[in-house]
Amino acid sequence: MAKVGIVMGSDSDMPVMAKAADVLEELGISYEMRIISAHREPDVFFEYAKSAEEKGFKVIIAGAGMAAHLPGMCAAIFPMPVIGIPMHTTSLGGRDSLYSIVQMPSGIPVATVAINGGANAGLLAARILATSDEELLERLKKYSRGLKESVQEKDARLQETGYRNYGK
């Protein structure tokens, strides 16, 4: 049973949303990914959001651009955490998406990550789930150690080669 729902309004959002899925897969978290337009197929969207708890979802990650209603509408219907990913847009660089998601009315919270922040959305979902899953918490700690080791390896290479030869 999927613990995380990943939903986007368009397949153009897939490269960003895939980063969330990649993190969840790396951490061994099951998910279901869907493309559903809140504006073009509201009946399908409402059924998705209404049935998410019954399906066993504990968190929904919703990505949206421009008017960015998908995360907020998920939060209005789904009683558990919703993480919004604002998508970069050509008209306003994603600021329109960011403001639409982060400025939710009182009582309808949406945790919001950076514009195109798919990986961090996956990590935030994992951290939420890890509050009641010790094994997942250990996998998250291992993931963080891996990030630290990666930076340390890069610094060691820089110290060894100097900045002019780094990466050559």
Side-chain angles (χ1 to χ4, degrees):
M1 184 180 318
K3 289 187 178 181
V4 178
I6 300 176
V7 62
M8 65 201 93
S10 169
D11 64 346
S12 64
D13 302 335
M14 187 67 71
V16 173
M17 303 308 284
K19 291 177 184 176
D22 290 344
V23 167
L24 295 174
E25 284 180 15
E26 184 174 345
L27 294 169
I29 299 169
S30 60
Y31 65 90
E32 174 189 289
M33 185 181 285
R34 299 284 308 272
I35 299 170
I36 302 172
S37 173
H39 297 109
R40 294 180 184 95
E41 48 183 7
D43 53 333
V44 175
F45 165 74
F46 280 113
E47 181 57 33
Y48 171 83
K50 284 181 183 180
S51 66
E53 181 182 7
E54 183 180 296
K55 288 181 185 176
F57 294 177
K58 302 300 182 195
V59 181
I60 291 177
I61 299 172
M66 300 173 72
H69 289 105
L70 197 60
M73 288 304 297
C74 283
I77 299 168
F78 180 67
M80 290 183 261
V82 174
I83 302 167
I85 305 175
M87 295 295 157
H88 184 273
T89 59
T90 55
S91 56
L92 296 172
R95 291 184 305 279
D96 48 347
S97 313
L98 174 65
Y99 294 154
S100 291
I101 296 171
V102 78
Q103 293 289 4
M104 292 302 299
S106 181
I108 312 295
V110 175
T112 309
V113 296
I115 295 167
N116 284 357
N120 272 351
L123 285 167
L124 182 55
R127 287 178 174 205
I128 290 167
L129 294 171
T131 61
S132 61
D133 184 332
E134 288 294 322
E135 290 177 12
L136 176 56
L137 180 59
E138 288 307 312
R139 291 194 304 270
L140 272 167
K141 289 177 181 180
K142 181 179 177 185
Y143 180 93
S144 293
R145 285 191 301 273
L147 294 176
K148 178 182 177 180
E149 290 167 4
S150 173
V151 172
Q152 290 172 336
E153 289 168 8
K154 291 173 185 176
D155 181 57
R157 188 175 47 212
L158 174 63
Q159 300 310 309
E160 183 179 306
T161 64
Y163 79 92
R164 292 190 193 281
N165 295 316
Y166 185 84
K168 290 183 181 177

